Amino acid sequence: EEETQFRNIFRQIAGDDMEINAEELRNVLNNVVKKHKDLKTEGFELESCRSMIALMDTDGSGKINFDEFRHLWDKIKSWQKIFKRYDSDHSGTINSYEMRNAVNDAGFRLNNQLYDIITMRYADKNMNIDFDSFICCFVRLDAMFRAFHAFDKDGDGIIKLNVLEVNYFVPVF
Ligand SMILES: O=C(O)[C@@H](S)Cc1ccc(I)cc1
Ligand SMILES: [Ca+2]
């Protein structure tokens, strides 16, 4: 039941080509986020949606198919729960202190420097991160850690990268 309903929603968003492009992703994200008063945003930017698609597009089609979309949607659903859980002052934004706990809760382990880097990168002038910036940050962190684990064959937490492979880690910034 849930599955067919989700597939129908996907079909509506994706249209005839049954793939979601950046424009269609931006529309659905902005329509859904509007319903959540506790998620502050100026709206998802097209550029952010392009990079979200690039990071989730496993078959390199430049768009996301049903499975890739469902995968992204499940992540966004879980990350919005984390956002609400750690927005302790219900400001609708995440401050640097709340961000550290949110990132940890999502299972990402960063060193202090990286926490500061991503907070600077995604926060506004008052050091607050709004919802769309939060999601973009988490999509990139997720992609970075997935790439890292793909390279870390023996799981010892150390990887060797040649200059071309470094590209997998640039999107975080
Ligand atoms: O689907 C919803 O409205 C809730 S449950 C989860 C969610 C919230 C915000 C976004 I953007 C996407 C999904
Ligand atoms: Ca807050």
Side-chain angles (χ1 to χ4, degrees):
E1 168 47 25
E2 158 86 4
E3 170 83 5
T4 42
Q5 203 203 358
F6 190 78
R7 194 174 283 278
N8 290 339
I9 295 170
F10 174 81
R11 205 189 315 276
Q12 273 163 23
I13 306 164
D16 309 348
D17 69 350
M18 284 306 273
E19 295 243 3
I20 287 183
N21 63 31
E23 190 81 36
E24 292 160 339
L25 179 61
R26 182 178 59 168
N27 294 339
V28 64
L29 288 174
N30 285 330
N31 289 336
V32 172
V33 75
K34 243 190 282 236
K35 296 193 204 107
H36 294 256
K37 294 303 159 233
D38 48 355
L39 300 174
K40 218 154 150 247
T41 175
E42 273 110 46
F44 284 84
E45 311 273 344
L46 189 60
E47 203 41 50
S48 313
C49 296
R50 278 209 192 96
S51 62
M52 272 192 257
I53 285 180
L55 293 167
M56 300 300 289
D57 172 25
T58 45
D59 61 9
S61 67
K63 301 177 194 159
I64 47 178
N65 62 29
F66 178 70
D67 287 332
E68 292 161 340
F69 176 69
R70 182 169 45 184
H71 198 49
L72 173 63
W73 197 253
D74 289 345
K75 286 174 187 288
I76 292 175
K77 276 192 351 185
S78 67
W79 292 335
Q80 66 92 29
K81 281 197 194 100
I82 290 179
F83 185 97
K84 290 177 179 174
R85 187 179 310 143
Y86 288 97
D87 175 17
S88 42
D89 57 0
H90 304 296
S91 60
T93 58
I94 292 283
N95 64 39
S96 51
Y97 173 74
E98 294 166 336
M99 186 62 170
R100 180 181 290 267
N101 296 327
V103 167
N104 270 323
D105 192 3
F108 300 125
R109 294 287 172 268
L110 308 179
N111 63 33
N112 289 338
Q113 195 192 4
L114 246 182
Y115 283 115
D116 297 342
I117 288 173
I118 59 170
T119 304
M120 299 296 283
R121 166 73 176 71
Y122 292 101
D124 61 20
K125 58 188 181 314
N126 308 318
M127 292 303 280
N128 286 318
I129 298 173
D130 64 9
F131 181 68
D132 60 288
S133 306
F134 179 87
I135 292 298
C136 289
C137 173
F138 273 54
V139 169
R140 285 177 172 77
L141 285 175
D142 184 69
M144 184 178 85
F145 279 93
R146 272 188 286 131
F148 185 91
H149 294 310
F151 279 98
D152 185 15
K153 298 270 181 289
D154 57 4
D156 66 353
I158 298 166
I159 59 174
K160 251 165 71 74
L161 293 176
N162 65 43
V163 66
L164 293 179
E165 289 165 332
V166 167
N167 283 334
Y168 283 96
F169 300 88
V170 168
V172 183
F173 308 99

